[in-house]
Amino acid sequence: MTSAQAVKKKNAWLSYAVLFILPTFVLYTLFVIVPTFSSIYLSFTSWDGVSPDIRFIGFDNFVEMWHSERVHNALKNTLILSVVLVVLENVTAILLAILVDQVRWLRNFFRSIFYFPVLLSGIVMGFVWTIIMNYNFGVISQLLDKLHLGFLKLDLLGDPKYALLAIIITTVWKSSGYYMIIYLAGLQGIPQELNEAAAIDGANRWQQFRHITFPLLAGAMTVCVMLSMISSLKIFDQIAVMTDGGPGFATETLTYIVYKVGFGELRQGYGTALALVLFILILLVSIVQIQLLRKREVQM
């Protein structure tokens, strides 16, 4: 084959490759790249989402955001939910994974039961827990009344002191089964000989978990903590159905306030600016987490 033929063949393969990736690239450009840059531009405007008039206002949206008590409250709620959910979801998932891994009978049944809440949509789950927690006609309230323990009733969805707790409980119930599967895969990848050798040396169950199982779950924990943190920073469905951000603004998060401002108050420019800040927050948290968790993996 001459050099000219080789170049011609190489160009033909290059053309085929370009044609192969072109449809995907066009779709990616239309649905990811263009909306991303459009959102960045809209965050500097006062667009209402309806009118064709888009007025550029510079950094006014970000200045307003900086001084907004409502945004500060939403940021505080978002950070509280993120920290608490990451801890509770992962602790619960590890406990469930150990339980399922140790059980001898009906193992697949328990896996299915614990994983079932993951299959429910956030909207359906929100309605179910609203029925359970409602102060007037909820399952918990009726059960306490039947037991003559009405004085123990709490308005979990209507009291600002407990509303965020209700969101945390329902989210942990829904999400823990998903992370359980990842931890279960990690547990089954740990050689049983290590625990057997530790038991022969006199290590009890807690010592085996602390010095063998937990360190060897570092890879699974990195994945679960990352997914849990990103999910909690974007939490929306439960809040929309169960509390609508209330009572007052007690359960508003950055994701929910983006929706309320952008679509409820017709301030798409301001809502897009909030979404941009949320994106940057998630990006920074993810980078820091990856660095810390990868470092922990190496150390262990």
Side-chain angles (χ1 to χ4, degrees):
M1 181 182 297
T2 65
S3 59
Q5 290 175 326
V7 171
K8 185 176 181 180
K9 185 176 181 180
K10 182 178 180 181
N11 290 336
W13 279 108
L14 183 61
S15 300
Y16 293 144
V18 171
L19 289 174
F20 182 76
I21 67 173
L22 185 61
T24 302
F25 178 75
V26 170
L27 291 174
Y28 185 80
T29 301
L30 289 175
F31 293 103
V32 178
I33 296 178
V34 171
T36 298
F37 284 98
S38 298
S39 297
I40 294 174
Y41 169 72
L42 290 174
S43 67
F44 294 97
T45 69
S46 61
W47 188 43
D48 61 5
V50 179
S51 171
D53 180 31
I54 302 177
R55 185 167 60 89
F56 185 83
I57 58 173
F59 288 92
D60 288 0
N61 286 330
F62 297 94
V63 173
E64 179 183 348
M65 194 187 313
W66 180 264
H67 296 287
S68 173
E69 290 294 331
R70 184 181 179 187
V71 174
H72 296 167
N73 178 69
L75 177 60
K76 182 192 73 174
N77 289 339
T78 301
L79 295 178
I80 290 173
L81 283 172
S82 299
V83 173
V84 175
L85 286 176
V86 167
V87 174
L88 292 183
E89 285 177 344
N90 282 274
V91 170
T92 304
I94 290 175
L95 293 176
L96 292 177
I98 293 174
L99 176 63
V100 172
D101 189 54
Q102 295 295 323
V103 73
R104 299 303 177 200
W105 300 93
L106 300 175
R107 178 177 296 182
N108 291 332
F109 171 77
F110 286 110
R111 287 183 186 179
S112 302
I113 290 296
F114 293 145
Y115 188 76
F116 175 74
V118 180
L119 303 178
L120 297 175
S121 72
I123 301 297
V124 172
M125 185 272 294
F127 279 120
V128 169
W129 277 97
T130 298
I131 295 173
I132 293 174
M133 293 181 170
N134 187 277
Y135 183 78
N136 297 315
F137 59 82
V139 174
I140 296 176
S141 293
Q142 292 188 25
L143 181 60
L144 290 174
D145 286 336
K146 292 289 185 182
L147 297 174
H148 303 289
L149 297 173
F151 60 93
L152 295 176
K153 289 165 57 175
L154 296 174
D155 192 359
L156 293 173
L157 301 178
D159 191 326
K161 294 186 295 184
Y162 305 117
L164 208 60
L165 175 62
I167 299 297
I168 291 171
I169 292 171
T170 56
T171 306
V172 171
W173 176 81
K174 174 173 168 49
S175 304
S176 296
Y178 177 78
Y179 305 117
M180 177 199 71
I181 297 298
I182 299 175
Y183 282 120
L184 188 59
L187 284 173
Q188 294 177 347
I190 298 175
Q192 190 62 32
E193 293 81 4
L194 296 176
N195 286 315
E196 292 174 355
I200 292 173
D201 290 337
N204 57 35
R205 288 292 184 90
W206 166 248
Q207 291 171 330
Q208 291 175 37
F209 173 79
R210 179 182 175 186
H211 298 290
I212 298 175
T213 304
F214 187 69
L216 292 178
L217 283 176
M221 184 170 290
T222 298
V223 174
C224 289
V225 169
M226 281 293 304
L227 293 176
S228 179
M229 176 62 73
I230 293 173
S231 176
S232 59
L233 286 171
K234 300 189 302 178
I235 188 170
F236 175 81
D237 294 352
Q238 299 91 306
I239 296 173
V241 174
M242 296 176 65
T243 64
D244 194 27
F249 302 120
T251 57
E252 274 195 342
T253 60
L254 287 178
T255 305
Y256 196 70
I257 202 175
V258 167
Y259 162 75
K260 291 289 285 186
V261 169
F263 296 96
E265 301 174 13
L266 293 180
R267 300 184 63 194
Q268 283 285 346
Y270 186 58
T272 306
L274 283 165
L276 183 61
V277 170
L278 177 62
F279 167 76
I280 295 172
L281 175 64
I282 293 174
L283 182 64
L284 292 176
V285 169
S286 299
I287 292 173
V288 172
Q289 267 196 326
I290 289 174
Q291 295 297 324
L292 293 177
L293 293 172
R294 290 299 184 190
K295 184 178 179 181
R296 174 180 173 273
E297 287 184 37
V298 173
Q299 290 174 344
M300 289 188 169

